[in-house]
Amino acid sequence: MEKERSNCKVEVLKNGPLLLQGPLKINYKGKEEILEREKIFLCRCGRSSKKPYCDGTHKKIGFED
Ligand code: FES
């Protein structure tokens, strides 16, 4: 059985969100979204008002990781 390869790239940005690149399928709270955009940023600090996406709040709260 051949495994399907994904072109998705994930990068953990220092003191910030996850950067995902490539065609993506996001499932958040039972809602599935297919994104053709090249880049998305997912919140890692837990304080975004636009979850699962980053809205920049991590900078205001001084998120470090
Ligand atoms: S990582 Fe940016 S708002 Fe949470």
Side-chain angles (χ1 to χ4, degrees):
M1 181 177 184
E2 189 173 317
K3 286 187 176 181
E4 185 177 323
R5 291 191 66 162
S6 169
N7 292 326
C8 180
K9 176 182 168 193
V10 179
E11 184 177 349
V12 180
L13 300 182
K14 184 176 181 184
N15 303 329
L18 294 174
L19 166 60
L20 282 74
Q21 294 178 277
L24 303 162
K25 187 177 355 176
I26 306 285
N27 191 322
Y28 181 65
K29 294 185 176 179
K31 184 178 166 193
E32 190 169 281
E33 191 175 355
I34 296 176
L35 303 169
E36 299 297 333
R37 287 181 286 175
E38 289 292 316
K39 291 182 181 178
I40 64 166
F41 296 89
L42 294 181
C43 178
R44 207 161 57 91
C45 74
R47 301 285 297 276
S48 173
S49 62
K50 296 182 178 176
K51 289 179 193 158
Y53 305 105
C54 170
D55 69 354
T57 299
H58 62 273
K59 292 177 191 166
K60 295 178 196 158
I61 65 170
F63 176 69
E64 293 184 0
D65 184 33

